[in-house]
Amino acid sequence: MSEAPVLLEMRSITKEFPGVKALSDVNLAVRAGEIHAICGENGAGKSTLMKVLSGVYPYGSYAGEIVYQGQEVRFSDIRASERAGIVIIHQELALVPGMSITENIFLGNEPRRLGRIDWKSANRKAAELMKLVGLNEDPDTLIKDIGVGKQQLVEIAKAFAKDVKLLILDEPTAALNENDSQHLLNLLRGFRERGITSIMISHKLNEIEQIADSITIIRDGRTIETLDVKGQGINEDRIVRGMVGRELSSRFPDHTPNIGEVFFEVSDWWVRHPVSAERMVCKGSSFNVRRGEIVGFAGLMGAGRTELAMSIFGRSYGTYLSGRIVKDGKEIELKNVADAIAHGLAYVSEDRKAVGLNLLDDIKTSVVAAKLSKISKAGVVDKAKEYQAAEGYRTSLRIKTPTVDEGVVKLSGGNQQKVVLGKWMFTDPDLLILDEPTRGIDVGAKYEIYGIIQRLADQGKGVIVISSELPELIGLCDRIYTVFEGTITGSIERRDADPETLMKLMTSTKKMQMS
Amino acid sequence: MSRFAELRKHLFGGTTSNARQFGMIFTLVGIVALFEILTNGLTLNSGNLITLVSQYSYILILAIGMLMVIVAGHIDLSVGSVAAFVGIVVAKSMHTYHLPWPAAILLGLVVGALIGAWQGFWVAYVGVPAFIVTLAGMMLFRGGNQAIGNAETIAVPQGFRNIGAGYLWEVGPDTGYNNLTLLLGLLACAAVVVREWRARKTRQDLGAEPAPLWVSGLRLAIILAVIVFATLRFAGGRVGTSFPISGIILAVLVLIYSFITRNTAGGRHIYAVGGNSRAAELSGVKLRRVNFLVMVNMSALAALAGMIFIARASASGPQDGLNWELDAISAVFIGGAAVSGGLGTISGSIVGGLVMAVLNNGLQLLGVGSDQVQIIKGLVLLLAVALDVYNKRQGRFSVIDSIMRPFRGSTPIPVTPTPTPTGTEPAKTPVAG
Ligand SMILES: Nc1ncnc2c1ncn2[C@@H]1O[C@H](COP(=O)(O)OP(=O)(O)OP(=O)(O)O)[C@@H](O)[C@H]1O
Ligand SMILES: [Mg+2]
């Protein structure tokens, strides 16, 4: 592999934003036909580097040079890089939810005949592309009606509609489940055989270990090293060492749980889908949480875990039909989110951009947004207290930012997630529900977040963790509920939790005897 | 850091800021200077400044309410009609039913709030877009005005006229100036100094580094000079005239609403709803209540504006309030608010409104016809917003109106203003362009 010629070389790239040096003197060399992974902590500068490469940040807004196919290139915008065959799929998908798969694939790139869109050839080509990426859907299906896994495939099909030579994927599997991720990785292997070069950013190191030919590690905006996977026998621990600069012996902090009484109990919870009346998203779910306990919810994508959590959190999803919530021995009714917050519930959503944050806000206003009453008197916000609260979380959660006056848009994905976490810790909840809390978060920060979760539990709070990563649930939780199509199918104690048992319960309707 | 960079950083707030507002202050200064020269000093003379304030205070009052409506992600097209409707109701109540004028003002505000509740009901609880609800309201209340007034003009009594045409009284020794206006100016100076001092202290208490002393001093000197100049002009007009009562009403409203939008939980909620309504809802904000109150507030302010207008015109007529919504909306957008909601400030809208007012006034002084005035105003609106969009796209260093707000972490500027439903990162261009 290493004999292949260098396709792309980025030399001493430096990129500054007002007040932040995101990249300094970064070098990257990618060989033709390889899969090149880029690893680094949140805010290391991975996405920024790829945006420089793809012309999102045009020539002139950064220093350094890009040599592609032996020539220096200066892209003025994203179209210029696309003409050169460099296509980027961003960390957040850029599809139009109300348009069909075909329309999205050819958006901005429509095949024309005599000035009109040639739908016949568009449909034919779309079918070919969909076959190429293994997407089994009607091309007229709307994007909003297919899952994230398939949406990701549409993005790739869209890239291939553009004659791609170098494909850049920024955390393509962050929102995907195990199966969809594997499908995508196989696809990339297929592309490699056809001579297409890929650059992939991911925090899922096991995937990188599986698929990458070489790995470039970036830390604090600098290139640390480039590893040759096959030649050097690279494993996950080696990558982690490069990323964080020290050995990380375990992925989960040591923790001795101190579990008390059941304090939160949901029984026979029925919720209907918001639009289709005959679909139930929660079918008589019952579960409980004890003080000091970390409870996991395992299930496949679409099992209804998010829906269950949100419907409990002030009926913010679907139509509530029936069910009881008992907290500290008293039945409570949570008719809206304000009620839920007042009763000590907090819900950290899985989609921080769409529903977790107001992207126009700065960090400090975001952190206090869910409990303004805590820092205000007679409705007047005390800005000094606000600043102090935000500063507190900036240090304790290690949010990477010069000041808390900074806008949340400017933070890297992982740091935005920490802001959301801080926002809900600020409400002093008794029960903290975390929906995919470590999505898009680097290994080091994951370790920190696990530590935070454990500390919250030690303070006597209950924590619910919804996650698609079984190892995470197994490593972190004291007990795990499994959910299949809206039904809770089992409750597994920590000592009995293994991937096979969980997987079985996550994929069958047969209820296990509750322990 | 060089002196200049330091000045720029502290005066204009470094990275977190609002470029258009700051640019607009310069535009305002530029326009004032331009007309001052073109009109041979007529623009800044006492009489004209006094006219300017009393002639445009009601538009600026509308701009305050409109800012909040737009920040929440709505629009209100009915303000002119609501003002006219309330005007005729108030005039008739005094003229035909002999209601004492203070009671009539109260009646006007209540009618305004009721109209707002009607519109707010449709917007917040039924979910009809505000554009449609207020378009309907525009017709409804214009028609209502003509129905109640029989399309005729109704005069208002003397006492009532003070809110639109009154001035501060002449009291105390003969200084050659209006003493109350002087006092007001003094108070304003003191307030500005105290504010700057407290801002520095707050920053110090928080352990953050305050701006260097000389920057604070320079900023203070500029603001104080402007206040002193304005005070002397307003106080030194024709005997019997001074700072208009309507200007005082406006100033009080600006202070109150700036405080509400910046420092209260309720104000935060308006920005939250406009910025990302789903996120706001999941943070416990009561969406409907916020939307409802914003609409109620707008109509109440429109009612006040309508009353000030008929007080100044000394009568209410069928053509009152025509096209006011356009002026108010323009002021807000020139002042830096985002069309998609979530961004904008009261002070910015006031500056935007003043730009429009000075432009109007200056062109009239020059004898330019109203047709051409319209054309010029339209172009200014377009250019102001276009320039801002262009600046954002270039990712320019952004600046702030920290001249007006010494200590405030203001809202940041996203590169594209609308977060799309797929949640695209604002810093990026869609792949397919
Ligand atoms: N538009 C911007 N303005 C200012 N700072 C920015 C901007 N975009 C990124 N940054 C800063 O640049 C640094 C690198 O960000 P980048 O998004 O490249 O990180 P990343 O490595 O992709 O992280 P993650 O794994 O969390 O996605 C961060 O400190 C971030 O705050
Ligand atoms: Mg990134």
Side-chain angles (χ1 to χ4, degrees):
Chain A
M1 181 98 307
S2 45
E3 304 87 52
V6 172
L7 174 76
L8 166 84
E9 208 180 339
M10 298 181 80
R11 290 187 195 139
S12 348
I13 303 289
T14 297
K15 166 83 190 164
E16 280 183 67
F17 295 108
V20 199
K21 200 168 197 178
L23 298 173
S24 55
D25 246 337
V26 171
N27 293 301
L28 172 72
V30 178
R31 293 181 183 281
E34 71 170 347
I35 297 178
H36 194 111
I38 298 184
C39 291
E41 300 186 299
N42 296 125
K46 305 177 297 292
S47 298
T48 306
L49 185 66
M50 291 304 106
K51 285 179 189 170
V52 166
L53 172 57
S54 59
V56 174
Y57 299 133
Y59 177 77
S61 69
Y62 59 88
E65 56 177 10
I66 304 175
V67 179
Y68 176 64
Q69 294 182 320
Q71 269 172 15
E72 199 201 332
V73 287
R74 301 175 168 187
F75 298 127
S76 56
D77 58 16
I78 194 157
R79 303 205 136 228
S81 67
E82 279 175 4
R83 272 195 296 277
I86 300 178
V87 181
I88 182 165
I89 297 174
H90 286 279
Q91 202 162 349
E92 286 78 21
L93 301 182
L95 298 171
V96 185
M99 285 189 171
S100 72
I101 296 179
T102 310
E103 284 170 315
N104 267 289
I105 289 178
F106 292 104
L107 190 64
N109 188 21
E110 295 85 357
R112 278 160 215 264
R113 247 185 67 194
L114 306 170
R116 288 173 46 195
I117 298 182
D118 181 359
W119 283 117
K120 225 166 106 192
S121 91
N123 277 326
R124 199 183 52 239
K125 264 178 84 184
E128 278 168 26
L129 290 167
M130 284 168 64
K131 204 167 141 216
L132 175 81
V133 300
L135 178 58
N136 235 333
E137 279 286 338
D138 181 347
D140 290 329
T141 317
L142 300 186
I143 289 297
K144 63 173 170 17
D145 297 333
I146 61 177
V148 254
K150 289 182 174 170
Q151 291 181 2
Q152 189 65 260
L153 296 179
V154 174
E155 277 279 11
I156 295 175
K158 192 169 144 185
F160 276 86
K162 288 175 201 152
D163 187 27
V164 48
K165 292 197 190 73
L166 174 61
L167 182 66
I168 305 169
L169 303 116
D170 196 349
E171 299 194 34
T173 58
L176 303 193
N177 65 22
E178 199 59 36
N179 281 339
D180 288 345
S181 299
Q182 279 309 327
H183 177 81
L184 195 132
L185 296 184
N186 285 334
L187 211 57
L188 290 184
R189 286 195 187 96
F191 295 159
R192 175 168 57 193
E193 262 140 46
R194 299 171 40 169
I196 290 165
T197 315
S198 310
I199 298 179
M200 170 167 153
I201 297 176
S202 179
H203 289 295
K204 295 189 179 170
L205 301 182
N206 59 335
E207 293 176 358
I208 300 229
E209 190 190 336
Q210 276 179 46
I211 195 172
D213 300 304
S214 33
I215 303 171
T216 294
I217 294 176
I218 297 180
R219 194 196 310 153
D220 291 329
R222 288 167 205 280
T223 322
I224 298 300
E225 55 190 340
T226 296
L227 306 169
D228 177 1
V229 177
K230 302 265 151 42
Q232 300 175 330
I234 298 299
N235 60 17
E236 280 185 52
D237 289 333
R238 176 68 189 81
I239 306 175
V240 172
R241 174 144 57 90
M243 282 172 65
V244 298
R246 66 194 144 86
E247 215 68 59
L248 202 62
S249 50
S250 156
R251 293 294 152 74
F252 298 95
D254 285 333
H255 183 234
T256 322
N258 179 11
I259 296 176
E261 291 296 298
V262 169
F263 80 107
F264 188 85
E265 206 168 358
V266 172
S267 43
D268 207 19
W269 191 257
W270 288 84
V271 175
R272 207 170 62 196
H273 191 268
V275 265
S276 56
E278 62 284 5
R279 235 178 95 196
M280 293 295 154
V281 285
C282 301
K283 303 173 186 164
S285 310
S286 300
F287 66 91
N288 59 46
V289 183
R290 287 172 279 188
R291 289 212 170 269
E293 189 181 31
I294 304 171
V295 177
F297 274 79
L300 300 177
M301 205 72 46
R305 293 166 299 164
T306 296
E307 290 77 0
L308 173 64
M310 287 181 84
S311 65
I312 287 167
F313 188 63
R315 303 185 187 167
S316 43
Y317 178 89
T319 315
Y320 163 82
L321 294 178
S322 66
R324 272 158 45 95
I325 302 177
V326 175
K327 184 171 171 256
D328 296 320
K330 273 201 294 277
E331 180 166 357
I332 52 172
E333 256 198 286
L334 309 175
K335 288 194 178 139
N336 54 46
V337 175
D339 284 353
I341 295 174
H343 275 104
L345 266 68
Y347 170 70
V348 179
S349 68
E350 60 180 328
D351 191 343
R352 56 185 169 252
K353 295 235 161 151
V355 303
L357 284 174
N358 175 0
L359 292 176
L360 303 173
D361 261 347
D362 47 35
I363 297 169
K364 57 180 168 20
T365 39
S366 303
V367 166
V368 298
K371 198 148 192 169
L372 280 172
S373 58
K374 195 168 148 191
I375 50 155
S376 39
K377 256 199 218 116
V380 177
V381 178
D382 183 334
K383 297 209 171 166
K385 283 195 188 145
E386 169 184 79
Y387 186 87
Q388 280 157 352
E391 269 298 313
Y393 288 112
R394 182 172 81 103
T395 359
S396 68
L397 300 181
R398 290 205 249 166
I399 299 169
K400 198 174 166 240
T401 172
T403 76
V404 292
D405 295 325
E406 209 68 66
V408 286
V409 242
K410 293 186 181 170
L411 296 179
S412 76
N415 283 300
Q416 286 178 338
Q417 181 69 356
K418 291 187 190 173
V419 172
V420 183
L421 208 59
K423 167 176 166 179
W424 288 104
M425 282 166 68
F426 179 74
T427 64
D428 287 327
D430 293 329
L431 177 69
L432 181 64
I433 308 172
L434 302 162
D435 201 346
E436 304 286 357
T438 60
R439 177 179 289 174
I441 292 221
D442 68 56
V443 268
K446 265 185 193 163
Y447 188 87
E448 286 172 29
I449 287 178
Y450 298 147
I452 293 163
I453 292 174
Q454 291 168 346
R455 277 199 299 283
L456 288 171
D458 290 342
Q459 290 163 19
K461 300 174 190 300
V463 183
I464 291 178
V465 178
I466 299 173
S467 174
S468 299
E469 285 174 60
L470 287 185
E472 174 168 288
L473 290 176
I474 293 168
L476 181 68
C477 298
D478 302 316
R479 193 156 54 99
I480 300 172
Y481 284 104
T482 50
V483 184
F484 174 72
E485 291 185 349
T487 309
I488 292 184
T489 52
S491 163
I492 311 287
E493 291 294 329
R494 181 189 193 101
R495 58 181 184 288
D496 306 323
D498 59 73
E500 293 73 40
T501 319
L502 291 174
M503 207 34 130
K504 216 190 260 156
L505 289 164
M506 283 158 60
T507 48
S508 87
T509 36
K510 223 178 82 210
K511 276 200 192 185
M512 190 196 72
Q513 206 54 40
M514 290 271 182
S515 53
Chain B
M1 207 177 344
S2 76
R3 271 268 150 125
F4 179 71
E6 202 174 14
L7 179 67
R8 194 169 69 162
K9 174 168 165 238
H10 289 289
L11 216 46
F12 311 143
T15 50
T16 57
S17 54
N18 199 330
R20 180 149 32 149
Q21 256 182 48
F22 181 74
M24 265 358 266
I25 291 179
F26 270 108
T27 311
L28 180 60
V29 171
I31 289 182
V32 169
L34 178 74
F35 283 115
E36 179 71 1
I37 295 166
L38 290 180
T39 60
N40 289 324
L42 268 181
T43 300
L44 286 180
N45 106 1
S46 294
N48 189 55
L49 279 182
I50 291 171
T51 317
L52 195 75
V53 170
S54 64
Q55 205 174 358
Y56 292 98
S57 54
Y58 47 85
I59 295 291
L60 294 177
I61 289 175
L62 289 178
I64 294 173
M66 194 64 81
L67 180 267
M68 293 159 78
V69 170
I70 287 173
V71 165
H74 307 294
I75 195 95
D76 192 335
L77 301 175
S78 69
V79 290
S81 296
V82 171
F85 180 81
V86 171
I88 201 85
V89 168
V90 168
K92 192 143 182 173
S93 73
M94 290 185 291
H95 185 267
T96 315
Y97 301 102
H98 305 291
L99 209 61
W101 66 265
I105 291 179
L106 214 61
L107 173 73
L109 290 175
V110 170
V111 171
L114 285 177
I115 292 174
W118 157 262
Q119 306 206 102
F121 164 75
W122 292 105
V123 172
Y125 293 96
V126 184
V128 181
F131 186 93
I132 304 297
V133 172
T134 58
L135 186 64
M138 191 177 179
M139 300 186 240
L140 259 165
F141 299 110
R142 175 65 57 194
N145 165 293
Q146 289 162 7
I148 291 177
N150 280 327
E152 281 165 11
T153 301
I154 300 177
V156 297
Q158 190 54 47
F160 183 79
R161 289 183 197 174
N162 275 333
I163 64 164
Y167 300 99
L168 285 176
W169 311 268
E170 299 284 352
V171 290
D174 185 3
T175 50
Y177 288 103
N178 177 285
N179 291 329
L180 282 179
T181 306
L182 290 182
L183 189 66
L184 213 60
L186 211 62
L187 280 178
C189 289
V192 168
V193 173
V194 169
R195 193 182 150 79
E196 177 78 26
W197 179 75
R198 281 191 31 192
R200 288 184 64 85
K201 196 161 166 306
T202 319
R203 270 198 93 78
Q204 261 159 355
D205 288 353
L206 293 175
E209 190 197 340
L213 214 55
W214 67 272
V215 172
S216 284
L218 186 66
R219 178 162 54 199
L220 270 183
I222 296 173
I223 302 174
L224 292 182
V226 171
I227 296 179
V228 169
F229 176 81
T231 306
L232 293 180
R233 284 296 153 122
F234 281 109
R238 199 161 40 79
V239 179
T241 66
S242 64
F243 197 65
I245 303 279
S246 57
I248 293 178
I249 298 177
L250 171 67
V252 170
L253 289 176
V254 168
L255 290 178
I256 293 176
Y257 280 98
S258 296
F259 184 80
I260 291 177
T261 51
R262 283 194 339 230
N263 293 318
T264 68
R268 288 284 174 89
H269 288 171
I270 301 176
Y271 286 88
V273 167
N276 183 343
S277 61
R278 188 72 180 132
E281 203 176 6
L282 284 179
S283 304
V285 174
K286 298 194 166 128
L287 274 190
R288 291 179 182 168
R289 189 189 295 176
V290 171
N291 287 334
F292 180 76
L293 289 178
V294 159
M295 295 308 287
V296 170
N297 178 66
M298 176 76 260
S299 293
L301 286 177
L304 181 61
M307 290 190 284
I308 290 177
F309 178 79
I310 60 168
R312 186 175 133 78
S314 49
S316 164
Q319 300 297 318
D320 293 355
L322 270 190
N323 293 341
W324 282 9
E325 60 283 349
L326 303 183
D327 283 336
I329 293 168
S330 307
V332 172
F333 285 131
I334 290 181
V339 183
S340 48
L343 282 182
T345 58
I346 299 277
S347 48
S349 304
I350 296 297
V351 172
L354 284 175
V355 166
M356 287 305 239
V358 172
L359 201 68
N360 237 334
N361 170 274
L363 291 170
Q364 275 167 11
L365 285 179
L366 290 174
V368 177
S370 71
D371 47 348
Q372 290 166 41
V373 173
Q374 291 271 5
I375 293 175
I376 293 173
K377 271 164 62 180
L379 288 175
V380 167
L381 170 65
L382 189 62
L383 284 179
V385 179
L387 193 71
D388 185 67
V389 170
Y390 175 78
N391 271 342
K392 279 180 189 167
R393 189 157 323 138
Q394 298 292 304
R396 282 277 170 75
F397 172 77
S398 29
V399 280
I400 197 177
D401 64 336
S402 56
I403 292 180
M404 304 166 85
R405 300 172 303 166
F407 176 51
R408 168 170 190 260
S410 62
T411 28
I413 300 175
V415 178
T416 45
T418 350
T420 59
T422 39
T424 47
E425 196 173 317
K428 89 187 196 199
T429 326
V431 174

